[in-house]
Each structure stands twice: as C-alpha cells, then as structure tokens.
Amino acid sequence: MTPPRTRSRPLLILVTTLATLASILVTAPAAQSAPAKTPPLTTPWTGQALAGTPLPEYPRPQMVRPDWQNLNGEWQLRQSATDDPPQFNTTLPERVNVPFPVESALSGVMRPASDNRHYLYYRRTFTVPAGWSGRRVQLHFGAVDWQTTVWVNGVQVGGHTGGYDAFTFDITPRLNGGANEIIVKVYDPTDSRQNGTLPLIGKQTKTPSGIFYTPSSGIWQTVWLEPTPAASISSVDTYANLSNNTLRLRVFTRGDVSGHSVLAEALNGTTVVGTATGAFTEFTVPVPNARRWSPEDPFLYNLRVTLRNSGGTQVDRTTHYFGMREITTGLVNGVMRPKLNGQFVFQLGTLDQGFWPDGLYTAPTDAALAHDLQKHKDLGFNMVRKHIKVEPQRWFYHADRLGLLVWQDVPSMTAQDVNANDAQQAQFEAEAREIVDEHRSAPSVVAYTVYNEGWGERALADTRRVGQNVKNQDPTRLVNPHSGHNCCQSLGDPGNGDIDDWHMYLGPASPLPSATRIAVLGEFGGLGLHAPGHEYSPNGQYFAYEWQSDSNTLTNRYVGLVQGVQNLMISRGLSASVYTEITDLEGELNGMLTYDRQQVKVDQARVRAANLAVINASRALPAMSPVTLPVNTRRSFQVTTSGHTEKYLRHAGSLAYTEVVNAASSALLKSDATYTVRAGLAGSGCYSFESVNYPGQYLRHQDSRVRNSPDDGSALMRADATWCAQSGATGGGVSLEAYNQPGSYLRHYNSEVWITNGSGGAAYNSPALWAADSTWNITTPWAP
C-alpha cells in the first residue's frame, strides 16, 4: 500500500544517464560572483567554487526536464536586526554569493556567528528565456534557513518555514516579459530564542564550541527556474517490489489533468525493459529479471514518465532513476536483523555532519559534495548516518550511484533547555513529514532517525507518536524513533520502531535485539588526532573523546574498536554501528579526515580491511543456536584457540583457569578439569557444571571472573552458575552464554577464565581472538 502523501509537491528523481543529463541541461550564462572572504581553512575545491556560476549542476537529479535556469551567483543583500518591509527597485548595500550561507567565506560576507541581524533581504533580477513563452514558470529553492517570504516584481508569491526542505512557487502571473525582480526575505534566529522561536537547527549555534558549530543562515541550496506546461508532473514516488519484480509508481501533478494518463517506462540504460499506463493512483511497472541495488552493486535503472492528454498526446515528460532494493527486518539464526534484499549484511558507517570550512552547510562544489561519500567507500564503509542535517538532492544521488546505505536524521531543535510548545512541536513534525516526502525514491535511504539523545524531546509519548507517524508515512523504510535513548537528555527508551539504538563513547557496546527491534550502536568512537595546519576552532579550543598520539596509534585503536563491533555482532546481536566520525568539524577533531579534507588521518588500507572484515563476517554468521548437552554425565572443556588446544578449563583455589592436561597429568589436575553436566540451577533449558572433586560447587561468574562456588540456594548464585549452550562463535564447538548476562560468554584470557562479549575495554575483554577464546570443545572427561 502506498504511504499517504500530505500534498502534491516537487520531489526529486533522476536522469537516464549522466551523459544524457549533461547534454540536455541548459543553464544561464555564468553569474558574476562577489569576492570570497578568506576561509579559516582551504579545501581542495575552494578556488573552484566561484569560478563561474556556483554549483552549476542540475539540482534535482530525481526529476529532470531539459530546460532550466540557474539563479546561483551574485545577489544583492541587506541585513537587518528588525523586521523591515522589503525595498523594491532599490539597490541593496551588500553583495552575496548564493547559495552560500552568509556566515561562510564563500558567500563573500562571512559575518560572525553571533551577529544579531537575523533578517536577511536578498535581491536579484532575471529574464525569462524567450523559448519558455506559453509555459508556466516555477521558482525553486533547494533549502533556505529558516523562514522565507518571496516577492516577484513587488508582489508576494509565497512563504515557507523550514530550513531543510525544498519549496516552489509558480510565479507566472507576476512576470512582466522583461527584467524581473526577486526579493527574498529570510528570518533565521538560530538558537537565540528571539520572538519565542525554536527552529530546527541541528548543530548550528550562535556560540560555536565543542560539538556545536557556526550557523548557516539564509539561502544555502540552489535557486533555479524551470518552465512547465500548464498541466504538469509535480513529483513521482517510486517503490521497488522484489517479490514480483515490479516498480510501484505514483505520479502527482499540478494544473488541470482531467482525462489525462501517465505512461511509465523503465529503462536499463537506454533500453526499455518495462512499460505501464496508469492514472494518478498507484500502478506498477514490470522490471523483468530485476538487478538488485546494493552497496556492492549500486545498479540504477532509468525511468521515463510521460503525462498524456485525453487524445494520447504528450503534455509533459520527466526522467528519473530507481534502484530495485528492499529494506526489512527479520530473524537470522533467531536474532532480529535488518535485511537488504532479503539478506542480512552488517551496516557499518560513520557520523557525517556535512560542514565545510569554506561553505559551512554548503559544499563548495559538486565534486566536494561527493567526496566524503566516496571516502566512505574507499575506507570500506557501506553506510552513512547523515547527522541532524539534510543535504541537497545531489548528495543523495551520489549516495545512490556509489552504493551507500543512508540513515537520515530529522534535524533537531536546540539541545539545550528544551521546552517546545504545541506550535513548535507541530512545526518539528511538519518538517519531518516533508523530509520523508522528499526522499521516498532514493534507494540509498534505508532508515529515518527522529530524535537524537533527547534533543528537542519534550515527552516520551511524543517520541513514540512521531516515530510511529514516520513509519506510517513510509512503511518501506526502517524507523529509529530515538538514537541514543540511553544517553544524555533522553527521556528513555520509546520501545517502538524498528531500531533499538544506544550511544557509547568510546564503546563499542550494544543493546540486545528484541522480537521486534534490531540492535544498533548509533554513535561510538570519537578518536581524536591533531593535524597542525589543518585545524580550526572558533574559540581556539579542541575536543575529542580520546586523544591519540599519531596516525599509527589512531589506526590501531580504531581497528581494535571495529573488531569489538564484530564480536558484538556475534555475542549480542548487534546489526549496525556508526563511528564518530568521517571528518573533523571546527573544534571537534574526531575525524578520519581533517576538516579541510586535505589529509586522511588513518591508514586507509588497514581501516578498509578491518571494516570489510566485519561486513564479510556478517554474511557468514555462526548459527549460535542452542546445543544439547548430556545431563548427569561428566565432561571436560577443551580450548579451541589455535596454539592452545592442549589446554582445558580447570579450577584451582576456587578460580577457573586453563591449563595443559594430558595423560601424564596428575589425578588432581584431571579431576579439577572435569565437571558433571547438570540441568541449569536457574533454568532447565540451560546447564550448570558441578565440580567432580568438590560436589555441590558449581562453575559460576562473579564480577566477570569465573570460579567455583558452593550452591548456597540464593537466586543470584544459581543464576550466576547457569550457562546456556550454543553452537560455537567460530562456527564449531560450543559457546557458553551467561544465563543472567545475555551476550556474555565463558572465555579464557591469559589462562584466566572470564565472561566477556569481546567489545574491548578491560584486558580480559580484548576483541582479539574473542570468538576462538569463547569456543570450547566438550570432550570426554579426564576423570571418568
């Protein structure tokens, strides 16, 4: 069933091929640019950003028409601390490069973060190409932060509230046939709380420091014009259906479409592989022998959508793209997991916040926009969490073509002193709906995160309700109602949605999956390394969760953390992790790359190998299914770790150890290394292990150390002495899970025996060799 749409609106869908796209796009002549200011750091693209029209690429690759006009470039600007009326036919005092935020160097303004002139007035003129005569003219804004009012030739044509979604006005009635004037007023109070405002701001703040950064006020995505027929396509939603190899399709329109129909054609390259005709309710297009989209094979089909009148004549045509993929959840070896195209693959990503030292929210060029995503691929990641910011549509296209799974956050209200009233809460929810509507057709987007660490959260009931509303709006994707509900200002676990998400610095750690939710680690890591000459902090201070001394140490530490993630995938059922983070940001130096993208701070080859090891291991998970042991019989427990297989579990002085046992060993040692298998003292489906030479004493854990203890009848002792046998973590042998600490297993380390999950931290919980150390052969007893 197609998720409901709140209103007809321009979505975003792609092109047939990049070559075709390049050949059909018509842009305006290069716009003059105001001189850039000197940024605190220079990226490889800073010098290219204003060479011609800024960001000249077609901004909406998910719905392409051949004609358009780019309005990026130099505009006039007036900044005001008061809500003044617009000034028409008047030259404004400053110049600004659209679409760079006024706080950025590339804007040519570079005003301080603390500037209280929250009202911005933009002005420029344009001429409609003669070839557009007889068509409607749409004025598109990719995104403007935060509250926008637009006039054309002195007449207000519309307004919009929200800093992260696109909006469009039909300005045809206001055009005069010659030079036309646009005035855009933007009100952006950021986190000043001026006039009682509480906008969605993500990480923006008037006082940047630590993990909060310089604001991005005003126009920050492409502004452009597009001619359309009077009756035209306004957006197209697509959903792959792998069960029958079809593409579900719904077309939205503007104007009078009475008697009209839609022809949809799916193409492999330029070859039509499936066609269907429908109206304005959902219909399906066949995609025979569909090639599945995945991070390993991000294959994109093309889609041609034609609006036809009652006589069958073409009225409008747009070109798009789609990927044949599905994201679901389901049991894998008894554990709830995410499934891409029916298969579990671990989703390994980074926190990606999307700030630039030269453009702030706006990447200097399209190549820069794609760069961080390509780096994710180079480093072996298959996922990216876009953290409380929404990128331009071309970013999602790059994720789609490169093959990255995207977790899209809803940008949050301020993290401090949250007290949203009903109107502010309603605005948050309205913007969340818009974000979902705009990204329905991106194959890369597999999950939405609604809240982060309690930022903007006012009541647990609201969190549950909004999470469910997002799921109802788009049931084809996973919903994470609250990332890091165990952290910070969170009001607690909402308990619903598809995802149970912890944050743990440094970590790693994991919640336990349930019958309905997968377990993910939404943030961890935060390893910092200074890179002199490539750092910038607005207040001169720098932050990291744990500082490293050099690149090799940083790489070693990261590899250890990700090995811990792999162990948690096995031991606790972890299904995804998000490392903090891909790049440094202002005063936060947790990045694998420097803020200026000039240096990679880790050994890329080693990080890639470690990441791919986790992903590859997820494709061949050990079953870890229950194993039956022979009750009331004696058994010994042999180490399976290579080079130590002559060792067996034994007790000495009440503590458990591993020691070499063979035929020449003493009778005492053989007895110490033998246990009687009993029904579990705390659960009959599991087992307890009674000492042969100390009857009444059982193998139990206490403060993570394993020992022998007498059964004192207490519930705690009986639970500590109960172990659930499973097929081994290495795929063979047996692993013994602590009954009252699920996800922790009997493990030997340096001849001592502990319960661990292999996530790291304490030496005995070392990630190295955890799976082998936690796997035992249950053998014939040394003391029969």
Side-chain angles (χ1 to χ4, degrees), residues 406-467:
V406 173
W407 293 8
Q408 178 59 60
D409 289 6
V410 176
S412 66
M413 293 180 273
T414 176
Q416 309 300 326
D417 303 321
V418 179
N419 55 357
N421 60 34
D422 288 347
Q424 292 160 346
Q425 177 69 24
Q427 179 63 29
F428 171 81
E429 295 179 32
E431 293 190 44
R433 288 193 296 272
E434 291 295 323
I435 289 166
V436 173
D437 271 353
E438 288 193 11
H439 300 95
R440 291 178 180 278
S441 298
S444 57
V445 177
V446 296
Y448 288 109
T449 298
V450 181
Y451 286 95
N452 179 76
E453 295 182 352
W455 302 359
E457 185 182 30
R458 68 173 191 174
L460 200 55
D462 282 335
T463 306
R464 295 190 185 102
R465 177 180 55 79
V466 179

Side-chain angles (χ1 to χ4, degrees), residues 343-586:
Q343 301 295 318
F344 169 58
V345 59
F346 194 91
Q347 297 184 24
L348 190 78
T350 81
L351 205 68
D352 184 343
Q353 306 198 59
F355 279 75
W356 299 83
D358 46 13
L360 295 176
Y361 254 19
T362 308
T365 68
D366 190 64
L369 189 68
H371 171 268
D372 291 357
L373 294 172
Q374 182 62 60
K375 276 300 175 186
H376 279 84
K377 296 291 289 189
D378 295 344
L379 289 164
F381 294 100
N382 64 1
M383 178 263 280
V384 54
R385 180 184 172 195
K386 178 47 64 176
H387 191 40
I388 51 180
K389 178 197 176 188
V390 185
E391 294 286 2
Q393 287 297 328
R394 290 195 63 83
W395 184 91
F396 292 91
Y397 163 63
H398 292 310
D400 292 337
R401 69 174 179 83
L402 289 171
L404 279 164
L405 305 174
V406 173
W407 293 8
Q408 178 59 60
D409 289 6
V410 176
S412 66
M413 293 180 273
T414 176
Q416 309 300 326
D417 303 321
V418 179
N419 55 357
N421 60 34
D422 288 347
Q424 292 160 346
Q425 177 69 24
Q427 179 63 29
F428 171 81
E429 295 179 32
E431 293 190 44
R433 288 193 296 272
E434 291 295 323
I435 289 166
V436 173
D437 271 353
E438 288 193 11
H439 300 95
R440 291 178 180 278
S441 298
S444 57
V445 177
V446 296
Y448 288 109
T449 298
V450 181
Y451 286 95
N452 179 76
E453 295 182 352
W455 302 359
E457 185 182 30
R458 68 173 191 174
L460 200 55
D462 282 335
T463 306
R464 295 190 185 102
R465 177 180 55 79
V466 179
Q468 186 58 51
N469 287 346
V470 171
K471 186 67 176 181
N472 294 343
Q473 187 181 356
D474 188 353
T476 70
R477 290 182 169 90
L478 307 185
V479 173
N480 184 357
H482 198 155
S483 182
H485 67 73
N486 66 320
C487 175
C488 314
Q489 299 158 222
S490 170
L491 299 178
D493 183 3
N496 66 333
D498 302 296
I499 296 173
D500 187 352
D501 182 325
W502 279 6
H503 292 180
M504 186 62 67
Y505 289 102
L506 291 166
S510 175
L512 289 169
S514 69
T516 58
R517 295 191 295 172
I518 65 172
V520 311
L521 179 56
E523 293 181 28
F524 81 107
L527 304 176
L529 176 64
H530 281 287
H534 301 274
E535 302 174 354
Y536 163 70
S537 169
N539 65 359
Q541 299 176 356
Y542 294 99
F543 164 82
Y545 291 95
E546 181 183 276
W547 290 105
Q548 310 301 309
S549 59
D550 53 52
S551 177
N552 187 57
T553 303
L554 172 63
T555 302
N556 290 342
R557 187 74 165 102
Y558 175 79
V559 169
L561 291 180
V562 81
Q563 287 174 340
V565 165
Q566 180 172 335
N567 293 337
L568 288 172
M569 174 177 63
I570 299 169
S571 64
R572 288 184 66 85
L574 184 66
S575 288
S577 66
V578 178
Y579 176 78
T580 302
E581 59 198 305
I582 186 63
T583 71
D584 293 344
L585 292 106
E586 295 193 347

Side-chain angles (χ1 to χ4, degrees), residues 635-640 644-651 656-663 665 669-670 672-675 748 751 753 776-782:
R635 289 293 184 268
S636 293
F637 301 83
Q638 183 187 18
V639 170
T640 66
H644 299 274
T645 54
E646 74 282 11
K647 292 184 176 182
Y648 290 78
L649 186 149
R650 60 84 56 97
H651 60 87
Y657 297 91
T658 60
E659 189 171 328
V660 174
V661 184
N662 55 39
S665 297
L669 176 54
K670 291 179 179 178
D672 286 348
T674 304
Y675 286 85
H748 65 88
S751 298
V753 181
W776 306 82
N777 286 330
I778 310 300
T779 67
T780 54
W782 282 107

